[in-house]
Amino acid sequence: MRLNVQITRYADGRRTFLVYEDTDRMNRGILGRGWTLPDAVEEFITEYNRWAFADDDNATPITREQVSLRRPVTVYLKDRAVS
């Protein structure tokens, strides 16, 4: 599974990571957020597996080894800081 990566850089120097499979799944709430990329990926895997088991009796969980990342997209927020 290849995940999209969005990095948001804030004016105060902090950055957050958002990972998702595609727009359709992102709209369903299956995404991962974190202050580090590994945390965001781990949250995505947890949410994906939770959704898969809720939707299917024979769900196959995914692991970190089955996930690869696309080239990240960076969003700059110059006039806003994370509080």
Side-chain angles (χ1 to χ4, degrees):
M1 173 181 300
R2 287 189 61 125
L3 300 179
N4 296 304
V5 178
Q6 177 181 310
I7 303 169
T8 304
R9 292 186 180 266
Y10 296 93
D12 62 0
R14 294 190 219 179
R15 61 185 180 175
T16 59
F17 295 87
L18 173 69
V19 295
Y20 56 95
E21 186 177 5
D22 60 29
T23 304
D24 181 46
R25 292 199 189 282
M26 184 177 170
N27 289 337
R28 290 186 196 173
I30 301 176
L31 48 87
R33 290 188 178 120
W35 292 106
T36 66
L37 186 54
D39 288 344
V41 171
E42 189 62 36
E43 182 176 305
F44 174 87
I45 291 170
T46 301
E47 288 299 313
Y48 185 91
N49 289 337
R50 184 178 305 147
W51 179 79
F53 279 107
D55 193 46
D56 187 2
D57 293 335
N58 299 317
T60 304
I62 62 170
T63 63
R64 177 61 184 104
E65 291 76 27
Q66 295 169 296
V67 173
S68 63
L69 303 174
R70 297 184 202 280
R71 186 177 191 155
V73 173
T74 302
V75 177
Y76 294 94
L77 298 177
K78 296 179 181 177
D79 56 344
R80 192 180 100 176
V82 177
S83 56

